[in-house]
Amino acid sequence: MVKKKEDVTENHEDGEIEIEDLPGVGPMTADKLRDAGYDTIMSIAVAPTSELSESSGMSAASATKAQIAARNAMDMGFITGTELVERRKTIERMTTGSEDFDGLLGGGIETQSITEAFGEFGSGKSQLAMMLAITCQLPKKDGGLNRDILFIDTENTFRPERITQMCETRGLNPKKILSRIMVARAYTSDHQMLLVDKVDEVINKHGKDIGLIIVDSLMSLFRSEYAGRGTLAVRQQKLNRHLHSLQRMADKHNLAIYLTNQVQSNPAVFFGNPTKAIGGHILGHASQFRIYLRKGKAGKRVARLVDSPYLPEGEIIFNITEKGIDEA
Ligand code: GTP
Ligand code: MG
């Protein structure tokens, strides 16, 4: 008896199904889907149907059919509270370089989460990025993960000289540290998204043990490419996909994501903070830790935790020195 392709689970008893196993997905459609970042059954099951058909050339009806099969084939992601406790036990933290700052974040930057720093120019977002590219490599006893870094640089502000300076003042070997930071300059938002889609390859093919992905800055390319009013919806849709790929990497490889973000002034606010992060609700919901950075008195910096799933809001003061992020 010929098996109908709809029964995708029957073909693979181990549950490992490829996207080609979905009805209506031939090798060419599969290639197109992969190019658009839909490389797993899960990603297809949860994608907006319109986006699936658009990126693959499938009709809306075929896309829906493939999607229903994908949903039937997979465990939809319900896990028990007990399993969740187990998964959360594997979360690790890396230091920011300042004890107060770590305290604000409940012990440092977390794996399996997206941490976003926003603030005006010179507030320290990129300095923190470069600092984390160092601390992630430290041995666990020194507050690190002893793992490598992927640094996506969209503004050409990554400075190896600054890394070297931070290392030397901290008694670390700059050559060794720099050799474990993989920097990719992104030239367009599509390029930026593609780089994240290549993370699996970097990890699986090149055997890199990535503990942290940095995107500095998340929005600059999106912002300049989608400047017109009419393009906002498209921008947000792409941003949403980008953030989902990042979160997927964080969960799959138990790694941390650090994003920097710009601000815009919010004329509606008369009291309190007149600036707000760009990126809208999509970004607001995607980042588990949002840190607002601003310049304080005498060169000091203030970090405020704005949105966190379980930590109280709070504010601390830190310093930017030769050592990088430092105690106030
Ligand atoms: P934009 O990317 O422009 O939005 O800003 P940003 O928030 O990324 O700023 P960044 O992290 O690059 O901070 C720049 C600031 O860090 C400078 O204005 C300096 O105050 C400080 N800084 C940078 N390098 C050094 C250094 O070597 N020593 C000291 N003491 N401070 C530094
Ligand atoms: Mg910067």
Side-chain angles (χ1 to χ4, degrees), residues 105-172:
L105 301 173
I109 303 278
E110 273 190 17
T111 61
Q112 298 175 29
S113 281
I114 295 180
T115 301
E116 170 201 353
F118 66 98
E120 63 180 30
F121 69 92
S123 56
K125 306 178 294 289
S126 297
Q127 296 299 314
L128 179 56
M130 286 186 271
M131 184 80 252
L132 294 172
I134 296 173
T135 61
C136 177
Q137 302 183 37
L138 295 174
K140 291 193 178 174
K141 66 172 175 49
D142 297 329
L145 307 182
N146 190 18
R147 292 167 74 187
D148 301 347
I149 292 86
L150 246 169
F151 198 119
I152 300 176
D153 183 6
T154 71
E155 297 182 315
N156 201 15
T157 49
F158 177 82
R159 290 287 170 270
E161 302 79 16
R162 178 64 170 135
I163 298 277
T164 301
Q165 182 192 36
M166 290 182 189
C167 288
E168 281 170 351
T169 48
R170 285 174 180 268
L172 301 166

Side-chain angles (χ1 to χ4, degrees), residues 5 8 12 15-22 25 30 34 39-41 44:
K5 221 182 169 188
V8 282
H12 302 263
E16 280 294 310
I17 334 165
E18 300 290 334
I19 63 173
E20 281 91 344
D21 295 321
L22 297 171
V25 179
R34 287 204 174 90
D39 52 355
T40 60
I41 296 293
I44 289 176

Side-chain angles (χ1 to χ4, degrees), residues 12-199:
H12 302 263
E13 277 171 8
D14 57 0
E16 280 294 310
I17 334 165
E18 300 290 334
I19 63 173
E20 281 91 344
D21 295 321
L22 297 171
V25 179
M28 259 172 58
T29 311
D31 281 347
K32 283 186 196 160
L33 285 168
R34 287 204 174 90
D35 284 345
Y38 299 112
D39 52 355
T40 60
I41 296 293
M42 160 78 109
S43 62
I44 289 176
V46 301
T49 314
S50 59
E51 230 183 271
L52 268 190
S53 71
E54 214 174 277
S55 52
S56 65
M58 280 194 282
S59 69
S62 311
T64 308
K65 207 167 169 192
Q67 204 164 27
I68 290 170
R71 288 178 184 168
N72 289 339
M74 60 173 293
D75 163 9
M76 271 313 273
F78 283 110
I79 62 170
T80 62
T82 324
E83 285 169 306
L84 204 56
V85 170
E86 284 310 307
R87 187 190 288 181
R88 288 195 55 81
K89 272 189 196 156
T90 62
I91 290 179
E92 295 186 285
R93 290 182 181 79
M94 78 190 79
T95 178
T96 57
S98 145
E99 264 180 46
D100 289 342
F101 207 150
D102 291 350
L104 181 74
L105 301 173
I109 303 278
E110 273 190 17
T111 61
Q112 298 175 29
S113 281
I114 295 180
T115 301
E116 170 201 353
F118 66 98
E120 63 180 30
F121 69 92
S123 56
K125 306 178 294 289
S126 297
Q127 296 299 314
L128 179 56
M130 286 186 271
M131 184 80 252
L132 294 172
I134 296 173
T135 61
C136 177
Q137 302 183 37
L138 295 174
K140 291 193 178 174
K141 66 172 175 49
D142 297 329
L145 307 182
N146 190 18
R147 292 167 74 187
D148 301 347
I149 292 86
L150 246 169
F151 198 119
I152 300 176
D153 183 6
T154 71
E155 297 182 315
N156 201 15
T157 49
F158 177 82
R159 290 287 170 270
E161 302 79 16
R162 178 64 170 135
I163 298 277
T164 301
Q165 182 192 36
M166 290 182 189
C167 288
E168 281 170 351
T169 48
R170 285 174 180 268
L172 301 166
N173 179 343
K175 263 201 186 139
K176 226 165 135 189
I177 296 278
L178 280 168
S179 73
R180 293 178 71 181
I181 308 173
M182 279 180 288
V183 186
R185 174 99 163 86
Y187 293 97
T188 63
S189 62
D190 282 322
H191 187 196
Q192 180 179 331
M193 292 168 75
L194 185 68
L195 288 168
V196 173
D197 294 335
K198 293 280 175 201
V199 171

Side-chain angles (χ1 to χ4, degrees), residues 204-240:
N204 298 333
K205 272 199 196 146
H206 304 286
K208 295 279 181 189
D209 183 16
I210 304 293
L212 169 68
I213 302 174
I214 294 169
V215 185
D216 183 17
S217 85
L218 177 74
M219 294 299 300
S220 57
L221 296 169
F222 283 97
R223 199 184 203 181
S224 60
E225 290 166 29
Y226 299 92
R229 275 191 163 268
T231 60
L232 192 63
V234 182
R235 183 191 90 176
Q236 291 304 88
Q237 215 175 63
K238 287 181 91 178
L239 178 64
N240 195 24

